[in-house]
């Protein structure tokens, strides 16, 4: 709007002689015919003055009216006008013209000043933007009076501090990190596993990494000599180590079960992460482990063990220890969430082990973000890992889990630590399973079985009793019950599989604890290969105690339970089934047959039905008191078990 007004004023100022009601004979003498007497020659009354260079005399003493012609831009023609020739009016017209000229000159000067200010503002904005770009900050322009996208007067640069925030996409399966979203992980090729994490950063120079914090804590009481920081030969490293006594042993029945899960004991300088659902018993487990390590006599007497909690006060931990009848003198309790403070306070103790409950509650000064965030978890874990490797003190961490049961946060936490243990348990069951999913110092096939009691966790000597109930062979109500032998890690378990066949039911089938596709295949094989008329029956399948049967070793037991319910013939309580069923009705061997059969014999069973192909390899082992029966297909199983 301002630009348009200035153009109109400039145009009016340029052509003011055509628009003002003032006669100008000099400029109009060539184009207009003047009829007033002052403009006529004395010698000829009708002569026209045609010279533009010679001034035309005007007699101001006469009072004759003035007549002139002007160009009208609206009508696009000339208009003849007249006015008084009074000298006073003429001088007044001259004064108005001079004041108008001064006003127009003032507007032109003001326009020039604004133009200079605009150019100065443009230069300042450009310099500011260039400076921000040199500092590598995010720069944008908030438009003011710019035209066509150019940086104009009134525009201002909008920026934010360098590194204020960062968005990362992390794969929840393998921990792959990317700066942008991908439909599938570029590392493990899993679809839909990239999750967004916001990592806050600070632009100042006070940022401290986890490695720096751990080195600052270690440097004051365990200095490292420069000569030690060099590559060492493998033989030199092993020469000074006693592999038999290298690990920290855990005594007692409870300690032996945990020791077996860890692969033979607690490795010095290791970082162990224990995860599980809320209330499953993670804190109870590590409190008992801390008491065992502190009282261990195998390492030359008791030694301090520090239990640090960021969720409970010292009094609350003490009350729980008193309930569990733990009265160890060398067990120290501390409540803090600052990593540097924790590492500094345990300096004078030189503990044998350190326990942090939990990693999502601690933080590191100088690292932006709240406790439990992506950056805090990574840096805190890095600080503890560096501290453990430098001081050779094992550190045990407790980690929270999300809705899917995984450790909260990205999988990068599980990649940093040495050992990852998951504690599992049903909501309405007192039994707990401790399962390793990562172990750099041992096997991940081990499994620890515990039972939660008033005094803490107790070892279950016979894990199969969790899934077995008392059976009475003379009861007709036990028809449809069969025992399968499964493997979980390195442990073998006996579980009960129940089946119910009902004719005339509106429900076709209902399955719990078994893969639906696997159950449908076994039912179809029984109809086709065994000749059972199951088409008009509703079939219900269930695994006792809520166990999910995932391996194929339970196929024969599922088929036997269905046959028992359909034929209404109870299976004796001293028979176990092992084997996989093929589409042709044949029985196939499964891995670790010897260990499975040995478990069955140990529990006092009288008969074990296995595939015919595995009978020869097991016949020479001589399981006393138990008969091993090999069958080629389902028809032989039915004839052997359900004979009259």
């Amino acid at each position: 709007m301002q630009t348009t007004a200035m153009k109109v004023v400039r145009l009016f100022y340029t052509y003011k002689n055509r628009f003002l009601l003032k006669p100008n004979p000099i400029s109009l003498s060539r184009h207009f015919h003047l009829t007033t007497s002052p403009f006529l020659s004395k010698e000829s009354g009708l002569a026209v003055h045609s010279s533009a260079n010679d001034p035309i005399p005007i007699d101001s003493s006469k009072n004759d009216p003035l007549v002139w012609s002007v160009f009208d831009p609206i009508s696009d023609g000339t208009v003849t006008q007249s006015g008084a020739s009074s000298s006073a009016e003429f001088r007044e017209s001259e004064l108005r013209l001079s004041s108008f000229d001064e006003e127009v000159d003032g507007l032109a000067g003001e326009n020039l000043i604004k133009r200079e200010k605009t150019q100065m503002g443009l230069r300042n904005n450009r310099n500011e933007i260039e400076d921000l770009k040199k500092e590598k900050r995010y720069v944008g322009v908030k438009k003011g009076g710019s035209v066509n996208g150019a940086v104009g007067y009134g525009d201002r640069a909008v920026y934010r501090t360098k590194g204020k925030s960062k968005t990362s996409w992390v794969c929840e399966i393998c921990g792959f990190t990317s700066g942008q979203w991908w439909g599938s992980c570029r590392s493990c090729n899993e679809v839909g596993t990239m999750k967004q994490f916001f990592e806050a950063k600070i632009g100042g120079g006070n940022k401290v990494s986890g490695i720096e914090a751990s080195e600052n804590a270690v440097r004051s009481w365990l200095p490292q000599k420069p000569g030690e920081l060099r590559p060492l030969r493998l033989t030199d490293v092993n020469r000074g180590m006693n592999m038999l006594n290298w690990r920290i042993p855990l005594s007692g029945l409870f300690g032996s079960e945990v020791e077996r899960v860890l692969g033979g004991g607690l490795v010095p300088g290791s970082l162990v992460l224990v995860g599980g659902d809320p209330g499953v018993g993670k804190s109870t487990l590590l409190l008992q482990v801390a008491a065992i390590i502190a009282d261990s006599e195998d390492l030359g007497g008791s030694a301090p063990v520090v239990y640090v909690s960021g969720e409970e006060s010292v009094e609350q931990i003490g009350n729980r220890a008193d309930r569990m009848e733990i009265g160890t003198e060398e067990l120290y309790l501390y409540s803090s969430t600052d990593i540097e403070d924790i590492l500094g306070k345990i300096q004078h103790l030189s503990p044998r082990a350190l326990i942090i409950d939990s990693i999502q509650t601690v933080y590191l000064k100088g690292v932006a973000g709240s406790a439990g965030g992506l950056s805090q978890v990574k840096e805190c874990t890095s600080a503890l890992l560096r501290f453990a490797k430098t001081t050779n003190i094992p550190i045990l961490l407790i980690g929270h889990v999300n809705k899917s049961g995984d450790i909260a946060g990205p999988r990068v936490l599980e990649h940093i630590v040495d050992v990852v243990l998951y504690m599992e348990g049903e909501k309405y069951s007192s039994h707990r399973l401790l399962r390793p999913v990562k172990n750099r110092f041992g096997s991940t096939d081990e499994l620890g079985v515990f039972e939660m009691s008033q005094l803490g966790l107790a070892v279950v000597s016979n894990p199969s009793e969790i899934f077995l109930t008392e059976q009475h062979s003379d009861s007709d109500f036990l028809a449809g019950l069969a025992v399968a032998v499964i493997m979980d890690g390195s442990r073998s378990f006996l579980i009960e599989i129940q089946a119910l066949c009902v004719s005339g039911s509106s429900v076709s089938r209902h399955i719990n604890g078994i893969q639906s596709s696997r159950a449908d295949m076994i039912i179809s094989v029984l109809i086709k290969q065994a000749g059972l008329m199951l088409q008009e029956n509703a079939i219900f399948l269930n695994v006792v105690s809520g166990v999910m049967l995932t391996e194929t070793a339970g196929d024969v037991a599922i088929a036997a339970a269905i046959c028992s319910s359909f034929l209404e013939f109870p299976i004796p309580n001293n028979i176990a089934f092992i084997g996989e069923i093929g589409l042709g009705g044949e029985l196939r061997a499964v891995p670790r047959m010897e260990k499975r059969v040995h478990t069955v014999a140990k529990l006092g069973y009288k008969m074990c039905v296995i595939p015919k192909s595995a009978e020869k390899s097991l016949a020479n082992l001589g399981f006393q008191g138990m008969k091993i029966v090999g069958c080629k297909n389902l028809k032989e199983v039915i004839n052997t078990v359900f004979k009259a």
Side-chain angles (χ1 to χ4, degrees):
M1 186 66 183
Q2 183 179 4
T3 305
T4 305
M6 292 303 302
K7 289 183 178 179
V8 173
V9 173
R10 189 182 299 110
L11 180 65
F12 186 76
Y13 177 74
T14 305
Y15 300 100
K16 62 181 180 179
N17 293 332
R18 298 186 181 182
F19 293 98
L20 294 176
L21 299 178
K22 171 190 172 183
N24 193 344
I26 298 178
S27 60
L28 301 177
S29 59
R30 293 176 180 265
H31 307 284
F32 303 101
H33 177 71
L34 304 179
T35 58
T36 55
S37 58
F39 297 95
L40 299 178
S41 175
K42 292 181 180 181
E43 297 178 356
S44 177
L46 298 176
V48 179
H49 184 77
S50 59
S51 176
N53 298 325
D54 298 335
I56 300 176
I58 299 177
D59 189 2
S60 60
S61 61
K62 298 180 180 181
N63 295 327
D64 296 335
L66 298 178
V67 180
W68 65 90
S69 298
V70 298
F71 177 77
D72 187 4
I74 299 177
S75 60
D76 196 16
T78 58
V79 178
T80 302
Q81 298 178 355
S82 61
S85 60
S86 172
S87 59
E89 293 179 358
F90 186 78
R91 285 192 297 271
E92 184 180 355
S93 177
E94 290 287 345
L95 290 175
R96 287 198 303 268
L97 178 61
S98 60
S99 62
F100 180 78
D101 292 341
E102 293 176 358
E103 183 179 357
V104 171
D105 293 339
L107 291 176
E110 183 180 353
N111 186 27
L112 180 61
I113 294 174
K114 290 184 177 181
R115 184 182 303 174
E116 292 178 354
K117 290 183 178 180
T118 301
Q119 294 177 354
M120 183 180 299
L122 287 175
R123 287 194 297 269
N124 293 337
N125 279 347
R126 292 191 185 100
N127 294 336
E128 182 180 3
I129 293 174
E130 292 298 330
D131 294 340
L132 295 176
K133 287 182 177 180
K134 290 179 181 179
E135 296 178 8
K136 296 181 179 180
R137 299 182 183 180
Y138 173 81
V139 180
V141 177
K142 185 175 182 179
K143 297 298 180 182
S146 59
V147 181
N148 296 328
V151 180
Y153 178 73
D155 297 351
R156 62 185 180 90
V158 181
Y159 64 92
R160 56 184 181 183
T161 307
K162 174 184 177 183
K164 184 176 180 180
S165 62
K166 179 182 178 182
T167 302
S168 301
W169 296 87
V170 183
C171 176
E172 63 180 1
I173 300 299
C174 66
F176 173 76
T177 304
S178 176
Q180 61 181 350
W181 177 85
W182 297 93
S184 61
C185 177
R186 307 188 71 181
S187 177
C188 63
N189 297 325
E190 292 291 335
V191 180
T193 60
M194 302 299 291
K195 303 299 181 182
Q196 188 178 17
F197 291 92
F198 296 96
E199 182 176 357
K201 293 184 177 180
I202 56 176
N206 298 326
K207 183 177 180 180
V208 180
S209 64
I211 295 179
E212 292 177 357
S214 61
E215 288 181 348
N216 293 335
V218 172
R219 189 178 298 113
S220 60
W221 62 291
L222 191 63
Q224 298 294 317
K225 298 180 181 179
E228 296 180 357
L229 302 178
R230 69 178 188 276
L232 300 176
R233 291 189 181 93
L234 176 62
T235 55
D236 296 337
V237 175
N238 294 332
R239 186 178 297 115
M241 294 179 57
N242 185 0
M243 294 300 177
L244 298 177
N245 299 325
W246 179 50
R247 296 174 181 259
I248 300 176
L250 303 177
S251 58
L253 293 177
F254 175 83
S256 299
E257 191 77 359
V258 178
E259 187 179 72
R260 190 166 56 84
V261 174
L262 292 174
L266 188 61
V267 176
S270 61
L271 190 61
V272 181
L273 176 65
V274 180
D277 294 330
V280 75
K282 302 183 296 295
S283 300
T284 301
L285 172 70
L286 291 189
L287 188 60
Q288 290 181 252
V289 171
I292 293 175
I293 297 175
D295 285 339
S296 179
E297 299 293 339
D298 298 334
L299 299 176
S302 59
V305 174
V306 181
Y307 187 100
V308 181
S309 176
E311 302 174 346
E312 298 177 282
S313 64
V314 174
E315 292 77 13
Q316 292 173 337
I317 304 173
N319 183 33
R320 178 153 49 90
D322 182 69
R323 175 175 53 85
M324 298 168 58
E325 298 182 359
I326 296 177
T328 306
E329 292 290 337
E330 296 297 332
L331 180 57
Y332 290 82
L333 306 179
Y334 186 55
S335 179
S336 177
T337 56
D338 187 356
I339 287 292
E340 295 186 66
D341 175 63
I342 294 172
L343 299 182
K345 290 297 176 60
I346 67 174
Q347 170 181 344
H348 67 284
L349 294 175
S350 297
R352 182 177 291 173
L354 173 64
I355 298 174
I356 305 293
D357 183 10
S358 65
I359 188 60
Q360 277 83 13
T361 60
V362 295
Y363 69 93
L364 191 62
K365 293 181 179 178
V367 178
S370 59
L374 173 62
S375 57
Q376 284 287 356
V377 170
K378 289 173 58 178
E379 295 298 339
C380 290
T381 308
S382 298
L384 295 174
L385 177 67
R386 178 69 175 174
F387 181 83
K389 302 304 179 184
T390 306
T391 61
N392 219 27
I393 297 176
I395 300 178
L396 292 89
L397 308 176
I398 291 179
H400 298 163
V401 297
N402 51 28
K403 294 180 180 179
S404 61
D406 298 327
I407 299 295
R411 283 294 178 92
V412 66
L413 175 61
E414 301 183 31
H415 288 287
I416 294 176
V417 300
D418 299 315
V419 181
V420 179
L421 305 178
Y422 275 91
M423 199 168 188
E424 305 172 359
E426 295 294 330
K427 184 177 181 181
Y428 300 104
S429 175
S430 61
H431 293 93
R432 303 290 185 266
L433 302 179
L434 186 62
R435 189 189 311 275
V437 296
K438 175 187 177 181
N439 192 352
R440 290 175 177 167
F441 315 112
S443 174
T444 57
D445 292 334
E446 301 294 339
L447 181 69
V449 183
F450 305 91
E451 184 178 6
M452 181 66 72
S453 63
Q454 185 69 20
L455 300 179
L457 293 171
V459 179
V460 177
S461 58
N462 182 17
S464 295
E465 70 182 9
I466 303 175
F467 314 110
L468 296 178
T469 58
E470 292 187 7
Q471 302 181 23
H472 303 279
S473 58
D474 56 348
S475 175
D476 295 335
F477 296 100
L478 291 179
L481 182 63
V483 177
V485 184
I486 63 172
M487 296 291 299
D488 195 334
S490 63
R491 306 286 291 269
S492 56
F493 299 90
L494 274 66
I495 62 173
E496 293 180 354
I497 297 177
Q498 297 174 334
L500 177 64
C501 297
V502 181
S503 60
S505 175
S506 59
V507 181
S508 59
R509 64 192 56 173
H510 188 79
I511 301 170
N512 289 328
I514 304 172
Q515 296 178 359
S516 299
S517 58
R518 196 74 189 174
D520 293 340
M521 187 203 74
I522 295 174
I523 296 172
S524 300
V525 172
L526 286 173
I527 296 174
K528 177 68 176 179
Q529 305 298 339
L532 297 182
M533 306 300 293
L534 301 174
Q535 294 87 341
E536 298 180 357
N537 287 264
I539 300 176
F540 298 85
L541 293 175
N542 178 51
V543 180
V544 178
S545 300
V547 179
M548 185 66 187
L549 182 60
T550 57
E551 63 171 341
T552 59
D555 290 356
V556 179
I558 296 174
I562 295 175
C563 293
S564 175
S565 177
F566 179 75
L567 300 175
E568 297 183 357
F569 191 98
I571 299 175
N573 59 359
N574 56 3
I575 299 179
F577 300 89
I578 305 174
E580 177 184 354
I581 298 177
L583 293 179
E586 75 278 7
L587 269 59
R588 298 177 179 270
V590 294
R592 300 183 181 181
M593 289 292 300
E594 180 180 350
K595 188 174 183 61
R596 298 174 193 263
V597 175
H598 180 75
T599 303
V600 175
K602 187 178 179 180
L603 294 177
Y605 279 70
K606 302 300 182 180
M607 180 186 298
C608 183
V609 179
I610 64 173
K612 190 71 175 181
S613 58
E615 183 180 7
K616 293 181 180 180
S617 61
L618 299 175
N620 299 329
L621 297 179
F623 297 101
Q624 297 180 356
M626 187 182 70
K627 181 181 179 182
I628 299 178
V629 179
C631 301
K632 293 182 179 180
N633 49 49
L634 283 177
K635 288 185 178 180
E636 292 188 9
V637 173
I638 295 175
N639 294 332
T640 301
V641 177
F642 302 102
K643 60 184 178 180

